[in-house]
């Protein structure tokens, strides 16, 4: 019985480590957008945690109109820093589509575009989203000619108490 308990404890620690690892993996150069469509003059700010850049990336978003907003990100020292623009393309009930265009300043400075599909949850401020993201790095440090293009899928959840 003691052996089983030790195995269970080890198994629980591994599950906790795996969950923590998956939970905290984020891309530091990806803009954090608002969990709802910002109204003109509305502000949305906070920080994003990422294992890629160790320190939190602070962000600030400002509603330019009832369908678009502008964001600024600041990472320490520069990882995750950049600017971006979001526009709500479609909104009906609990569904929303958002296009985000951004530029990030880091060793692999890049331009990116992301098309989000949101589905709001039962609680206000809770949302599930998935997105298609494309990124272009004109002069990076990871390829022989310096430039690279990337495509990916994002999945995420906003949860509020």
């Amino acid at each position: 019985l003691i052996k089983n308990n030790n195995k269970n404890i080890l198994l629980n620690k591994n599950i906790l480590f795996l969950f923590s690892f998956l939970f905290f993996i984020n891309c530091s150069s990806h803009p954090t957008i608002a969990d709802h469509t910002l109204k003109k003059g509305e502000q949305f700010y906070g920080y994003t945690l990422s294992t890629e850049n160790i320190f939190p990336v602070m962000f600030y978003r400002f509603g330019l109109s009832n369908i678009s907003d502008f964001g600024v990100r600041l990472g320490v020292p520069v990882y995750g820093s950049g600017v971006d623009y979001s526009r709500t393309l479609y909104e009906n009930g609990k569904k929303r589509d958002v296009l985000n265009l951004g530029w990030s300043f880091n060793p692999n400075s890049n331009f990116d575009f992301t098309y989000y599909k949101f589905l709001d949850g039962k609680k206000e401020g809770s949302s599930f989203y998935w997105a298609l993201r494309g990124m272009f790095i004109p002069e990076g440090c990871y390829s022989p000619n310096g430039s690279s293009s990337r495509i990916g899928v994002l999945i995420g959840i906003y949860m509020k108490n």
Side-chain angles (χ1 to χ4, degrees):
L1 291 175
I2 294 172
K3 247 184 183 175
N4 274 345
N5 285 341
N6 287 338
K7 284 182 182 178
N8 287 340
I9 290 171
L10 182 60
L11 180 63
N12 289 339
K13 285 181 181 179
N14 288 339
I15 290 172
L16 181 63
F17 173 76
L18 180 63
F19 176 76
S20 298
F21 180 77
L22 292 174
F23 182 75
F24 286 107
I25 287 192
N26 296 310
C27 179
S28 68
S29 65
H30 183 267
T32 301
I33 67 171
D35 62 346
H36 62 284
T37 302
L38 297 181
K39 304 295 181 210
K40 184 175 183 176
E42 185 179 356
Q43 299 174 18
F44 182 77
Y45 53 89
Y47 61 91
T48 301
L49 298 175
S50 169
T51 56
E52 187 177 26
N53 57 330
I54 302 171
F55 297 103
V57 173
M58 296 173 286
F59 67 87
Y60 173 82
R61 304 198 70 77
F62 181 78
L64 299 174
S65 71
N66 289 339
I67 59 170
S68 64
D69 61 80
F70 177 77
V72 177
R73 304 178 310 280
L74 179 62
V76 178
V78 294
Y79 287 96
S81 298
V83 295
D84 66 278
Y85 171 81
S86 291
R87 184 171 183 90
T88 301
L89 304 175
Y90 169 81
E91 190 164 15
N92 187 6
K94 293 186 172 198
K95 295 181 179 180
R96 177 169 56 111
D97 291 8
V98 176
L99 177 65
N100 178 270
L101 305 172
W103 174 77
S104 296
F105 174 72
N106 54 46
N108 275 327
S109 289
N110 61 74
F111 299 97
D112 63 81
F113 63 92
T114 310
Y115 188 89
Y116 289 90
K117 301 279 288 177
F118 279 88
L119 179 60
D120 292 338
K122 292 178 182 177
K123 291 183 180 180
E124 186 178 338
S126 297
S127 299
F128 168 80
Y129 66 86
W130 69 271
L132 297 174
R133 180 180 188 213
M135 179 179 13
F136 174 66
I137 302 170
E139 293 183 30
C141 55
Y142 296 129
S143 70
N145 70 353
S147 68
S148 122
S149 297
R150 300 174 186 178
I151 296 174
V153 175
L154 304 172
I155 297 173
I157 298 174
Y158 279 104
M159 295 173 50
K160 293 197 177 173
N161 295 335

